[in-house]
Amino acid sequence: MPYRPIESYGVIGDMCSVALVGTDGAIDWCCMPFFDSPSIFAAILDDEKGGSFQITTAEACTRKQMYLPDTNVLLTRFLGAGGVGEICDFMPIHRDRAGAYKAGRHQIVRVARCVRGEVRFVLKCRPAIDFARRPHQVLLERRGAIFDSDGLDLGLLSPVPLTRDGDGVTAELVLKYGESATFALRHVEDWTTAEDLLSDPVQGDDAYERTVEFWRRWSAKSRYQGRWREMVQRSALALKLLTFEPTGAIVAAATCGLPEEIGGERNWDYRYTWIRDAAFTIYAFLRLGYTEEAARFMDWLRARIAEEDGPTGPLQIMYRVSGGHDLTETVLDHLDGYKGSRPVRVGNGAAHQLQLDIYGELIDSVYLYDKYGSPISYDSWKKLTRMVDWVGNNWNQPDEGIWEVRGGRRHFVYSKLQCWVALDRALRLAQKRSFPMDRERISRVRDTIYESIMQEGYREDLTSFVQSYGSRALDASALMMPLVRFLSPTDPRMLGTLDRTLAELTSDSLVHRYETGKHGGDGLRGDEGTFSICTFWLVEAMARAGRLDEARFIFEKMLTYANHLGLYSEEIGPTGESLGNFPQAFTHLGLISAAFCLDRALG
């Protein structure tokens, strides 16, 4: 079936890259060797040209998926009249026996099993390297097949003979009860001999056990024991999959080009490290007790802070996972796009936008890391104060804002709010650690921002905060005000904003991020789905305001929009379908934060 629903996929990964596995056993998305590398499978973006790697059953059957408990090892099950088969998918973790990162070969391991009766499996593997822009040759070898292209090669190790099928391969095998067959697809930059590429793919018989052990050991460190442990833990495991082990960077999502509206043009590349998203993710990790992940990201961040200022200030809003700055946006005209949603974009032109809010989110995460992780050093503080001074001098500039509008800069209220957060947290940190700082000046600017937001960002006639100065448009980012302790959750201005959000931005408890009609807009045509993290922000704001019954109902309802594995994309469409890139860090960290807040409020 072409273009499987976005929510029909599970995700596996090795913290360098991921693969999306459909309920029909098809891997329709994978980039290698890294998250932001070109794709090797992209059928999710073009069902004819994109390439896929499927292992499924020949007979009609019922299909189900599950994760092995507390792991990212995925089980796809095929339940037929003649037998029950399973595909166990995982990507071996790059760690040594002591638990330290160890660079290794990137590979996908797929184990076909028969657990009842007899099952006939069918394998079809057709890569489409570099978003189907780079041709390859198929070479059949004794132990499998090699897909040879210029600069990137893949080896498929198979226990059964493979047959060439155009620029791919196929195979069939029959397994009886208790039998299994292991396949592995591995990546190298350039192969020299078939033995080099098609040697033992699982690096010993214990690769599966070691992978399961790694994930279960990691899961056991979580300190969340609240009402929604299973959903919170799945969200944490998804966030961990989106961390880049070699550098500590965290990507916003695993995919690119998936639409926010079917047939629309909001099709962005999220396989990069946004300062904002990563900072929020660190907050979620700290809440769960994962201080190692926070420390690794802080190491990555220190390197970015130490760089020379760019055209938009001390920080770029997003980077490659390596820390690189080049995210040139390119349109892939040869790809059809998910269900015809074009253009398909790689790279991201928003990288050089001015988004002032990133400084608040970043400095707040540093403040929390200093409090719950490890105290920051004096040298780190000095670099941070350079950033604080810059915010103090530039907070009153218009910018493109949190939603990365492409219709021109404005004085976005959320950007001003996070500039206030940046200065407020810097003052708190300086006070706590007795760090040197021009407290009088920073305090004065912080208070000026506060008054500016209250006077220019709030409209008495709407009894609500608005999206930007002089605007009548609403924006769900205003729900963050009590969450960052800008004002009381029961302040009349906040209660009015809550009511207005429920009346005008909410559809059956799901929240749109802003108005796209005459008052709002982002410079693009069309509409979009509800934005999932905004719904979790609403839950948290309502819980803090004491409206617990409503908050819990919305939260529980939101949980029903997760897919069958507990995963979320960026947005939810009008009939409950997943829209946007998948899985998305923003949504999962919002779930974790809302669950913590609700647990605390409910007692």
Side-chain angles (χ1 to χ4, degrees), residues 524-551:
L524 298 168
R525 298 185 303 274
D527 214 328
E528 62 175 9
T530 56
F531 209 74
S532 295
I533 194 173
C534 295
T535 304
F536 289 123
W537 286 347
L538 176 64
V539 168
E540 197 161 345
M542 295 183 76
R544 290 171 185 256
R547 298 166 64 168
L548 294 181
D549 287 344
E550 293 173 272

Side-chain angles (χ1 to χ4, degrees), residues 300-413:
W300 180 88
L301 190 60
R302 288 187 190 99
R304 309 289 80 74
I305 294 173
E307 295 173 354
E308 294 294 324
D309 287 7
T312 57
L315 289 175
Q316 191 167 291
I317 71 164
M318 70 181 92
Y319 300 84
R320 303 195 77 90
V321 292
S322 63
H325 293 241
D326 181 19
L327 287 85
T328 302
E329 188 171 299
T330 303
V331 172
L332 303 180
D333 285 323
H334 64 290
L335 295 182
D336 184 54
Y338 178 78
K339 294 187 177 181
S341 303
R342 306 181 71 183
V344 176
R345 298 181 177 93
V346 294
N348 201 307
H352 300 293
Q353 286 187 350
L354 175 64
Q355 296 180 18
L356 293 168
D357 65 285
I358 64 173
Y359 297 98
E361 291 134 357
L362 170 63
I363 296 175
D364 194 24
S365 70
V366 173
Y367 170 76
L368 292 169
Y369 178 70
D370 182 89
K371 185 175 181 180
Y372 298 110
S374 177
I376 67 168
S377 67
Y378 170 74
D379 289 333
S380 294
W381 171 252
K382 292 299 290 182
K383 294 172 183 175
L384 202 65
T385 52
R386 181 174 67 87
M387 193 180 301
V388 172
D389 289 337
W390 187 90
V391 173
N393 292 329
N394 291 274
W395 69 270
N396 55 354
Q397 290 191 56
D399 71 342
E400 278 88 3
I402 179 176
W403 307 128
E404 299 173 2
V405 300
R406 301 199 175 190
R409 294 181 178 180
R410 300 177 228 163
H411 288 282
F412 286 102
V413 172

Side-chain angles (χ1 to χ4, degrees), residues 317-583:
I317 71 164
M318 70 181 92
Y319 300 84
R320 303 195 77 90
V321 292
S322 63
H325 293 241
D326 181 19
L327 287 85
T328 302
E329 188 171 299
T330 303
V331 172
L332 303 180
D333 285 323
H334 64 290
L335 295 182
D336 184 54
Y338 178 78
K339 294 187 177 181
S341 303
R342 306 181 71 183
V344 176
R345 298 181 177 93
V346 294
N348 201 307
H352 300 293
Q353 286 187 350
L354 175 64
Q355 296 180 18
L356 293 168
D357 65 285
I358 64 173
Y359 297 98
E361 291 134 357
L362 170 63
I363 296 175
D364 194 24
S365 70
V366 173
Y367 170 76
L368 292 169
Y369 178 70
D370 182 89
K371 185 175 181 180
Y372 298 110
S374 177
I376 67 168
S377 67
Y378 170 74
D379 289 333
S380 294
W381 171 252
K382 292 299 290 182
K383 294 172 183 175
L384 202 65
T385 52
R386 181 174 67 87
M387 193 180 301
V388 172
D389 289 337
W390 187 90
V391 173
N393 292 329
N394 291 274
W395 69 270
N396 55 354
Q397 290 191 56
D399 71 342
E400 278 88 3
I402 179 176
W403 307 128
E404 299 173 2
V405 300
R406 301 199 175 190
R409 294 181 178 180
R410 300 177 228 163
H411 288 282
F412 286 102
V413 172
Y414 181 78
S415 297
K416 310 301 184 193
L417 170 69
Q418 288 294 347
C419 286
W420 177 89
V421 170
L423 304 188
D424 180 75
R425 300 312 191 264
L427 286 165
R428 291 171 184 256
L429 188 52
Q431 180 65 28
K432 177 186 176 185
R433 297 286 308 281
S434 300
F435 280 137
M437 186 183 193
D438 188 350
R439 291 173 172 80
E440 183 177 347
R441 172 180 172 270
I442 297 301
S443 295
R444 185 171 62 251
V445 178
R446 178 192 62 177
D447 295 346
T448 299
I449 298 173
Y450 196 100
E451 291 293 350
S452 173
I453 293 171
M454 289 301 190
Q455 293 171 16
E456 304 293 333
Y458 180 81
R459 293 191 66 112
E460 294 283 355
D461 58 334
L462 297 176
T463 63
S464 175
F465 289 97
V466 290
Q467 184 179 61
S468 60
Y469 290 3
S471 169
R472 294 182 61 84
L474 301 181
D475 194 306
S477 61
L479 297 170
M480 283 290 290
M481 288 182 171
L483 279 57
V484 297
R485 304 184 184 279
F486 176 77
L487 81 172
S488 165
T490 56
D491 187 292
R493 294 189 177 206
M494 193 62 231
L495 294 177
T497 301
L498 266 179
D499 290 338
R500 185 67 66 172
T501 300
L502 285 166
E504 298 191 23
L505 289 183
T506 304
S507 173
D508 189 30
S509 79
L510 301 177
V511 182
H512 290 273
R513 52 181 172 170
Y514 48 70
E515 295 180 86
T516 56
K518 62 180 180 179
H519 297 310
D522 53 12
L524 298 168
R525 298 185 303 274
D527 214 328
E528 62 175 9
T530 56
F531 209 74
S532 295
I533 194 173
C534 295
T535 304
F536 289 123
W537 286 347
L538 176 64
V539 168
E540 197 161 345
M542 295 183 76
R544 290 171 185 256
R547 298 166 64 168
L548 294 181
D549 287 344
E550 293 173 272
R552 183 167 186 176
F553 176 71
I554 293 173
F555 182 77
E556 295 277 7
K557 202 170 188 179
M558 184 61 183
L559 295 184
T560 69
Y561 287 99
N563 81 346
H564 57 289
L565 296 168
L567 299 174
Y568 288 91
S569 64
E570 182 182 20
E571 300 186 5
I572 297 170
T575 60
E577 73 274 21
S578 293
L579 292 174
N581 287 304
F582 173 89

Side-chain angles (χ1 to χ4, degrees), residues 264-299:
E265 63 175 325
R266 294 177 174 88
N267 315 316
W268 314 113
D269 189 349
Y270 278 9
R271 301 169 301 140
Y272 308 112
T273 300
W274 266 254
I275 295 294
R276 173 193 310 111
D277 298 48
F280 278 143
T281 303
I282 290 307
Y283 171 72
F285 277 140
L286 287 171
R287 294 292 293 267
L288 295 170
Y290 292 111
T291 55
E292 178 186 340
E293 286 69 22
R296 293 294 316 284
F297 177 67
M298 286 299 164
D299 289 340

Side-chain angles (χ1 to χ4, degrees), residues 4 59 71 77 109 138 154 261 273 314 348 400 407 440 508:
R4 301 158 185 88
E59 293 80 20
T71 78
R77 309 184 69 217
V109 178
V138 180
L154 301 170
E261 177 189 28
T273 300
N348 201 307
E400 278 88 3
E440 183 177 347
D508 189 30

Side-chain angles (χ1 to χ4, degrees), residues 42-203:
I44 200 169
L45 295 179
D46 192 305
D47 63 330
E48 293 185 0
K49 304 186 193 79
S52 179
F53 178 15
Q54 184 177 36
I55 303 177
T56 189
T57 55
E59 293 80 20
C61 62
T62 301
R63 299 160 177 169
K64 297 181 181 293
Q65 274 186 330
M66 62 173 285
Y67 282 110
L68 271 64
D70 295 325
T71 78
N72 280 312
V73 175
L74 184 65
L75 207 62
T76 303
R77 309 184 69 217
F78 305 91
L79 293 81
V84 176
E86 296 179 345
I87 305 295
C88 179
D89 287 308
F90 66 97
M91 295 175 72
I93 300 301
H94 301 275
R95 296 260 178 140
D96 61 21
R97 290 291 186 180
Y101 172 73
K102 180 181 179 181
R105 181 169 282 163
H106 302 280
Q107 56 186 329
I108 299 169
V109 178
R110 315 199 70 183
V111 183
R113 301 172 181 148
C114 178
V115 297
R116 183 176 64 80
E118 181 178 287
V119 178
R120 180 182 297 275
F121 287 97
V122 178
L123 177 150
K124 298 179 182 179
C125 182
R126 185 180 66 84
I129 297 169
D130 189 14
F131 301 103
R133 294 181 295 188
R134 192 182 306 180
H136 64 266
Q137 292 182 321
V138 180
L139 308 174
L140 295 181
E141 299 286 344
R142 177 176 56 86
R143 299 189 66 191
I146 293 172
F147 305 98
D148 182 17
S149 73
D150 183 17
L152 186 150
D153 300 307
L154 301 170
L156 174 60
L157 190 139
S158 172
V160 298
L162 300 173
T163 301
R164 190 197 315 266
D165 181 15
D167 54 359
V169 295
T170 63
E172 288 195 17
L173 67 155
V174 176
L175 297 179
K176 297 180 180 180
Y177 170 71
E179 294 180 337
S180 66
T182 299
F183 302 84
L185 184 79
R186 55 171 40 173
H187 157 272
V188 294
E189 292 185 1
D190 194 15
W191 68 286
T192 54
T193 67
E195 282 301 312
D196 174 60
L197 192 53
L198 299 178
S199 59
D200 183 10
V202 292
Q203 300 171 348

